[in-house]
């Protein structure tokens, strides 16, 4: 099967972090490679590193899947990114696959075929077992009721603990608080309330961090208390808020339900940027979109287990893609599923081909914060919002950095954010910058130098 050539934005969207994207761009020169080529299913090449033997790099375009003999633990590595950028630019010659590439692809095909056979075998076995394997609505209802009881029991214990803290105060909490909250988080996991468990772990994480940690802890505990109270009044809340409370507790919404019943919006979506947060257990990617016509914000969440690849992005930062977003239910619907538009208003030769990038309209710092306050009024547990800030400059403020607009209002950058890529693009000029804002600071993810989008995250 022939794979349509990706745009450079899609290639850079695969990079696990900004450093890998920049390093990959540095390797996107044909002089860096030998024996490089491509066909309908793969790209490959040899890149000389610091050792005597060049690294072998190959990308299966249908996966995509990556293999490189370099020692990097990032996937895809900078060599795969560089090679794909060359292919994206049409700089790789069409060649017959060398033996080492053909062998790797054949091995992948064999493993895929085995997996399919195993799945068919399991399906056959299930068929022979007949109705015993069919969904049982009554059993499902009983499981749901048992879980609701366990959640209610866990939340009752949590409420009692919160009341104790309100009566006795947080004195000495810096010594005992982390252990107590860790125990509570484990109890919430046992109670099948993983959302609350995460909130309790976040509260534990602020203990002793900085001079203002008691205030930050009180804020986290207040939000947990609010979940507890909302759970007790689920029957009195409007349906969208019920969905929000349930999701904060940890109930999930099936993808099929979102596709069948979720609110959908067809638009041309600007890719504001992405954030990838890998850890030892799961890699999470957030892609923020904004509709050109509707102005709606969409959040596309993707997850990958360690060693697995995130799915391919529909476009890179600054690209505009026509698509349908199906929104998850909630009081402040942001998360959505991305699907091709059902009925394009105008025929397009390539419905999913990114359109030329343009610089989006932005808002002032004051307007951005006002929109965040409004969002919190709808969903108090909302953790972050995307802003597109207009005419802002990076500036040193105290020991940190901030983005300051023409009115002199500023947003502090999150601790640990490297300001130098933004400073390098700005060179003192005002920029349009997209990023995420939460209670702790602003994370720039994309800026525009004139009409050119520059990925920062």
């Amino acid at each position: 099967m022939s794979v349509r050539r990706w745009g450079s934005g899609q290639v850079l969207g695969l990079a696990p972090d900004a450093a890998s994207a920049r390093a990959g761009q540095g390797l996107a020169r044909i002089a860096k490679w030998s024996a490089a080529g491509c066909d309908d299913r793969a790209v490959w090449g040899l890149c000389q590193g610091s050792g005597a033997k060049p690294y072998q790099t190959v990308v299966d375009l249908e996966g995509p899947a990556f293999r490189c003999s370099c020692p990097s633990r990032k996937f895809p590595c900078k060599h795969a990114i560089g090679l794909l950028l060359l292919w994206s630019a049409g700089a790789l010659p069409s060649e017959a696959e060398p033996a080492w590439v053909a062998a790797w692809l054949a091995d992948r095909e064999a493993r895929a075929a085995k997996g399919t056979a195993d799945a068919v075998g399991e399906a056959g076995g299930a068929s022979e077992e007949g109705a015993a394997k069919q969904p049982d609505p009554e059993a499902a209802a009983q499981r749901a009721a048992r879980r609701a009881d366990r959640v209610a029991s866990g939340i009752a214990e949590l409420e009692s603990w919160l009341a104790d803290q309100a009566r006795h105060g947080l004195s000495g909490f810096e010594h005992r608080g982390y252990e107590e909250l860790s125990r509570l988080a484990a109890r919430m996991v046992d109670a099948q309330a993983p959302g609350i468990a995460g909130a309790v772990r976040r509260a534990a994480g602020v203990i002793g961090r900085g001079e203002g940690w008691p205030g930050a802890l009180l804020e986290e505990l207040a939000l947990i208390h609010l979940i507890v109270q909302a759970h007790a009044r689920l029957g009195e809340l409007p349906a969208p808020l019920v969905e929000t409370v349930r999701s904060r507790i940890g109930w999930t919404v099936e993808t099929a339900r979102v596709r069948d019943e979720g609110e959908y919006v067809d638009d041309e979506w600007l890719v504001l940027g992405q954030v990838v947060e890998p850890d030892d257990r799961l890699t999470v990617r957030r892609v923020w979109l904004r509709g050109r016509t509707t102005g709606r914000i969409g959040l596309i969440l993707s997850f990958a287990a360690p060693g697995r690849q995130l799915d391919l992005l529909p476009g890179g930062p600054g690209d505009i893609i026509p698509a349908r977003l199906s929104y998850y239910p909630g009081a402040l619907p942001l998360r959505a599923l991305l699907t091709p538009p059902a009925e394009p208003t105008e025929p397009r030769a390539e419905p999913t081909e990114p359109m030329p990038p343009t610089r989006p309209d932005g808002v002032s710092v004051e307007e951005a914060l006002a929109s965040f306050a409004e969002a919190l009024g709808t969903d108090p547990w909302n953790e972050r919002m995307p802003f597109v800030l207009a005419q802002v400059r990076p500036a040193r403020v105290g020991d940190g950095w901030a983005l300051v607009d023409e009115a002199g209002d500023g947003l502090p950058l999150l601790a640990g954010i490297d300001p130098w890529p933004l400073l390098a693009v700005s060179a003192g000029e005002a920029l349009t910058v997209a990023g995420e804002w939460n209670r702790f600071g602003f994370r720039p993810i994309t800026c525009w130098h004139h009409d050119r989008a520059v990925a920062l995250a």
Side-chain angles (χ1 to χ4, degrees):
M1 180 179 68
S2 176
V3 176
R4 189 178 61 193
R5 186 162 294 173
W6 307 337
S8 60
Q10 290 174 276
V11 174
L12 293 174
L14 293 170
D17 51 40
S20 297
R22 287 193 295 272
Q25 288 173 304
L27 291 171
R29 288 182 289 165
I30 197 66
K32 294 280 187 180
W33 297 84
S34 61
C38 65
D39 62 10
D40 286 344
R41 61 175 186 167
V43 299
W44 60 86
L46 306 178
C47 186
Q48 188 63 53
S50 56
K53 191 174 181 180
Y55 300 131
Q56 289 183 331
T57 308
V58 56
V59 179
D60 180 345
L61 298 171
E62 294 181 10
F66 313 89
R67 178 183 178 278
C68 184
S69 59
C70 77
S72 173
R73 297 179 63 183
K74 296 180 179 179
F75 292 95
C77 67
K78 62 183 180 182
H79 302 98
I81 297 293
L83 195 61
L84 283 171
L85 286 172
L86 282 172
W87 171 67
S88 171
L92 291 182
S94 296
E95 302 279 0
E97 294 168 356
W100 61 276
V101 171
W104 181 68
L105 293 173
D107 181 62
R108 280 183 47 77
E109 290 175 352
R111 282 186 279 120
K114 183 177 183 304
T116 302
D118 290 346
V120 170
E122 291 173 4
S127 176
E128 291 171 2
E129 291 175 11
K133 293 291 185 181
Q134 296 300 314
D136 184 341
E138 184 176 349
Q142 291 174 351
R143 287 195 297 271
R146 286 196 295 270
R147 182 181 179 186
D149 288 342
R150 297 183 68 173
V151 169
S153 174
I155 289 180
E157 186 175 329
L158 178 60
E159 184 177 22
S160 175
W161 182 87
L162 288 168
D164 285 344
Q165 309 318 304
R167 279 193 296 270
H168 301 303
L170 299 180
S171 176
F173 216 71
E174 66 271 29
H175 302 300
R176 62 180 173 85
Y178 185 85
E179 183 178 348
E180 286 190 25
L181 287 172
S182 297
R183 179 186 60 79
L184 268 178
R187 174 71 183 94
M188 292 304 105
V189 172
D190 290 341
Q192 295 184 282
I196 296 182
V200 174
R201 281 194 291 267
R202 280 196 300 276
V206 306
I207 295 175
R209 296 183 61 182
E211 295 182 356
W213 71 263
L217 175 62
L218 281 174
E219 191 172 352
E220 296 290 349
L221 295 181
L223 289 172
I224 294 171
H225 176 73
L226 195 57
I227 295 178
V228 170
Q229 297 304 308
H231 176 263
R233 293 168 173 76
L234 278 179
E236 306 168 23
L237 302 179
L241 190 54
V242 169
E243 296 283 0
T244 295
V245 173
R246 286 175 57 84
S247 72
R248 300 300 177 186
I249 291 173
W251 269 285
T252 57
V253 180
E254 298 83 0
T255 301
R257 181 187 164 201
V258 176
R259 294 192 189 282
D260 294 342
E261 304 175 14
E263 175 197 14
Y264 63 84
V265 178
D266 291 328
D267 206 335
E268 293 172 341
W269 299 91
L270 169 67
V271 181
L272 295 177
Q274 64 161 338
V275 177
V276 179
E277 294 182 329
D279 62 25
D280 293 338
R281 296 177 300 174
L282 199 66
T283 297
V284 180
R285 182 180 65 200
R286 299 187 294 275
V287 179
W288 293 100
L289 308 174
R290 188 173 77 177
R292 297 182 78 187
T293 303
T294 62
R296 288 287 297 268
I297 294 294
L299 168 62
I300 310 300
L301 277 177
S302 301
F303 306 93
R308 298 294 186 92
Q309 301 298 323
L310 292 162
D311 56 337
L312 188 64
L313 284 174
D319 285 342
I320 296 172
I321 51 173
R324 163 172 292 185
L325 294 194
S326 299
Y327 282 87
Y328 283 71
L332 183 68
L334 292 175
R335 186 183 176 189
L337 299 175
L338 180 66
T339 57
E343 296 178 357
T345 53
E346 296 180 3
R348 298 179 186 282
E350 298 288 349
T352 59
E353 188 73 18
M355 296 179 179
T358 57
R359 181 175 54 184
D361 295 332
V363 299
S364 67
V365 169
E366 182 180 6
E367 292 169 324
L369 291 177
S371 69
F372 185 63
E374 184 178 356
L376 287 181
T378 304
D379 178 358
W381 305 282
N382 181 41
E383 297 174 8
R384 56 181 66 85
M385 282 288 289
F387 292 163
V388 180
L389 300 174
Q391 298 292 303
V392 289
R393 292 179 172 83
R396 189 85 181 176
V397 178
D399 295 332
W401 289 86
L403 288 178
V404 180
D405 66 13
E406 292 183 317
D409 298 321
L411 291 180
L413 298 188
L414 270 176
I417 293 292
D418 180 5
W420 291 103
L422 196 55
L423 286 163
V425 178
S426 167
E429 295 183 2
L431 298 170
T432 297
V433 181
E436 289 181 337
W437 169 256
N438 65 23
R439 290 174 289 144
F440 305 103
F442 186 75
R443 180 199 300 270
I445 54 179
T446 303
C447 69
W448 278 261
H449 183 253
H450 303 297
D451 282 342
R452 183 174 66 91
V454 180
L456 300 169

